[in-house]
Amino acid sequence: MTQSTDQGFKAVLSNRNFRALWLAQLMAQTAQHAIHFIQLVLVEKLTGSAVQLGITILAFTVPGILFSPIAGVMADRLPRKWILVGSNVVRVVFALTYIVILGQLDGAWRLIAIYVLTFLTATLAQFFAPAEGASIPMLVGENHLLQANSLFTLTMAAAQVLGLMVLGPLSISLLRVEGGFALLAGLYLVAAISVSTLPTDRPAPRGGSATSGWRRVWTEMAESLLFVRGQRRIQIAIVQLVTIATMIMLMAMLAPGYAARVLGMSAENAVIVFAPAGLGMLLAIGLTGRWGHLLRRYGFGYLGLIFSGLAFAGMGWIALSYDRLMQPILQFYPHAAFSLTTATMTLGFILGLCLASVNILGQTTVQRDSPAYIRGRVLALQFMLSNLVGIPPMLALGGLADVIGIPRVMEVAGLAAIGMALLSLLVGRMPDRSDKPTAQ
């Protein structure tokens, strides 16, 4: 670990091109989380069903399976700058389309339109994410990669807090939903302008091939799969990252119902889960940016994932009286509002603290151990697996939540996350026969 790795964020923030990419991330992800908050609240109010919330998240995650392979190949073959610009410009249009939907449609048609537009917006995100992730090493170099990833994850947490805690609720209560979507379209426009100032990268040319179209896409993605099969550290990191992504999807699906149906608050009060988790990320990631090399050395990824599972299950354990009452807890015990809310927010804080740390360490491992010629495809493979693996438990647990209750489902999901942590530990202790990655 070089000395420059322990200098905090100053080195990367002094890089003008990195600042442009970072600003685009802040704007785009803040808008994305605000839109996601509004979607979840609207669907909760329309249906009051965890299954329907699961379908909303399904519309958000399926594009990762369908389009991540194409996006990864494009990130390695096309100028990443123009992928970033184009994806943000089209998201401006989609954000404005929500205004039309809310003004013209109602009931089931509004619900269907939300699903469709969520799917289309998520499709664009699949092209943005690998292009963004593969651009970071190019802009900052390997010596500052840990700080850059820490700052990007810190920004992800800040964007979550701003989107879920500020813009989402304010757009509903103050600006009305339509005004909020207009504001979010403006944020996407700022992101597009910011990345337009980046230098145009020139992907290294590769030899021609007789294959084309989808066959070429899957051939090149197969190369990334073969590469990952030979890299034990990347395998462990992907297992942990996929588990984290699944937990985040489950939290997004269950939090509005947890607030409304289990605790007895309004669906907008799902921020009592989201906001503390975001604040935990803000703290943990700031510390990881300076001392993350120590966490890597002592294998904190395993321990962080275990504590994430305990915190997630803990939210279910403190609300198990819902199983007996089968009605919102605070309707029976209004005097417990302070203690129950405080416990929920504390566990949410711990959850965000651990998820952020594990995410930074895992993402840094994937980027650092992947050579430049294949990095975009490895990141796309990671995103694809995160969505593919997360969908079955999300749909299954969403259905169970409507049958056995949200607290029991949170308990099951938390214990499953602990099991995945132990699995990744087992994989890490197996004999490592991987070769060092070689540049092409």
Side-chain angles (χ1 to χ4, degrees):
M1 186 66 59
T2 63
Q3 183 179 1
S4 64
T5 308
D6 196 29
Q7 291 177 348
F9 299 140
K10 183 178 180 180
V12 293
L13 285 175
S14 64
N15 183 321
R16 180 179 64 85
N17 291 325
F18 178 81
R19 283 201 310 270
L21 186 65
W22 171 67
L23 177 63
Q25 183 215 16
L26 176 62
M27 295 296 103
Q29 289 193 346
T30 299
Q32 174 183 314
H33 284 298
I35 288 175
H36 202 36
F37 178 87
I38 297 171
Q39 290 168 343
L40 293 173
V41 169
L42 287 175
V43 173
E44 172 67 24
K45 288 183 174 180
L46 282 171
T47 67
S49 169
V51 172
Q52 296 296 329
L53 289 168
I55 294 175
T56 307
I57 299 174
L58 184 64
F60 188 78
T61 54
V62 165
I65 301 172
L66 300 179
F67 300 107
S68 281
I70 302 174
V73 173
M74 289 181 64
D76 284 336
R77 286 187 171 272
L78 300 178
R80 292 159 187 158
K81 168 183 175 177
W82 299 115
I83 296 175
L84 297 171
V85 172
S87 62
N88 278 306
V89 168
V90 180
R91 284 194 282 187
V92 172
V93 177
F94 285 168
L96 295 175
T97 304
Y98 275 103
I99 300 176
V100 178
I101 289 174
L102 294 174
Q104 300 296 323
L105 301 177
D106 204 353
W109 286 111
R110 175 181 289 184
L111 187 64
I112 294 171
I114 289 173
Y115 292 155
V116 172
L117 199 52
T118 299
F119 180 88
L120 295 175
T121 304
T123 298
L124 286 174
Q126 305 313 312
F127 292 89
F128 183 86
E132 178 190 57
S135 297
I136 294 175
M138 177 188 71
L139 297 177
V140 305
E142 290 192 1
N143 286 341
H144 299 302
L145 193 55
L146 182 62
Q147 289 89 346
N149 282 324
S150 297
L151 182 58
F152 262 66
T153 311
L154 174 65
T155 305
M156 179 182 67
Q160 183 184 57
V161 173
L162 290 173
L164 295 172
M165 190 176 178
V166 180
L167 283 182
L170 281 180
S171 65
I172 294 176
S173 61
L174 297 179
L175 303 175
R176 299 187 62 178
V177 176
E178 293 83 356
F181 280 122
L183 175 62
L184 301 178
L187 294 186
Y188 281 130
L189 181 60
V190 171
I193 294 172
S194 182
V195 291
S196 70
T197 65
L198 295 176
T200 302
D201 54 297
R202 303 183 184 277
R206 295 169 60 99
S209 172
T211 60
S212 60
W214 277 96
R215 185 177 177 186
R216 172 180 289 181
V217 167
W218 290 108
T219 297
E220 296 200 3
M221 284 303 296
E223 292 180 21
S224 66
L225 181 60
L226 290 174
F227 172 80
V228 170
R229 286 180 61 184
Q231 302 297 324
R232 180 61 47 78
R233 289 190 299 271
I234 293 180
Q235 292 172 14
I236 296 170
I238 288 179
V239 169
Q240 294 174 348
L241 289 169
V242 167
T243 304
I244 289 173
T246 302
M247 292 181 69
I248 292 174
M249 283 192 287
L250 290 172
M251 182 173 68
M253 178 182 70
L254 297 174
Y258 184 85
R261 284 176 271 153
V262 176
L263 300 185
M265 302 176 176
S266 65
E268 289 88 337
N269 283 330
V271 295
I272 68 170
V273 177
F274 288 128
L279 292 175
M281 291 179 182
L282 289 173
L283 175 63
I285 301 163
L287 297 175
T288 305
R290 179 167 292 275
W291 293 293
H293 60 286
L294 296 177
L295 297 180
R296 284 167 55 87
R297 183 182 307 166
Y298 293 109
F300 181 80
Y302 308 110
L303 188 62
L305 198 54
I306 289 174
F307 276 104
S308 297
L310 288 174
F312 201 77
M315 290 185 187
W317 291 332
I318 64 174
L320 284 181
S321 57
Y322 171 78
D323 292 341
R324 176 173 54 84
L325 300 172
M326 290 310 295
Q327 297 218 11
I329 296 173
L330 296 181
Q331 290 184 7
F332 282 82
Y333 307 116
H335 59 278
F338 177 79
S339 60
L340 193 57
T341 301
T342 301
T344 299
M345 296 179 72
T346 300
L347 290 170
F349 178 83
I350 295 172
L351 182 62
L353 196 76
C354 296
L355 289 178
S357 300
V358 177
N359 185 74
I360 292 175
L361 300 177
Q363 200 69 46
T364 300
T365 297
V366 172
Q367 290 179 328
R368 174 167 289 164
D369 290 3
S370 301
Y373 78 93
I374 203 171
R375 186 177 290 132
R377 280 168 287 162
V378 173
L379 290 169
L381 177 65
Q382 173 207 319
F383 298 144
M384 182 177 68
L385 289 175
S386 295
N387 291 319
L388 182 62
V389 173
I391 286 174
M394 182 188 66
L395 293 179
L397 293 177
L400 281 176
D402 290 337
V403 176
I404 66 174
I406 291 176
R408 287 293 183 189
V409 167
M410 297 182 84
E411 177 184 358
V412 170
L415 295 176
I418 295 173
M420 293 302 294
L422 298 177
L423 175 62
S424 66
L425 179 62
L426 178 63
V427 172
R429 291 184 176 276
M430 296 173 70
D432 190 355
R433 299 174 183 176
S434 62
D435 297 323
K436 298 293 290 183
T438 57
Q440 176 165 310

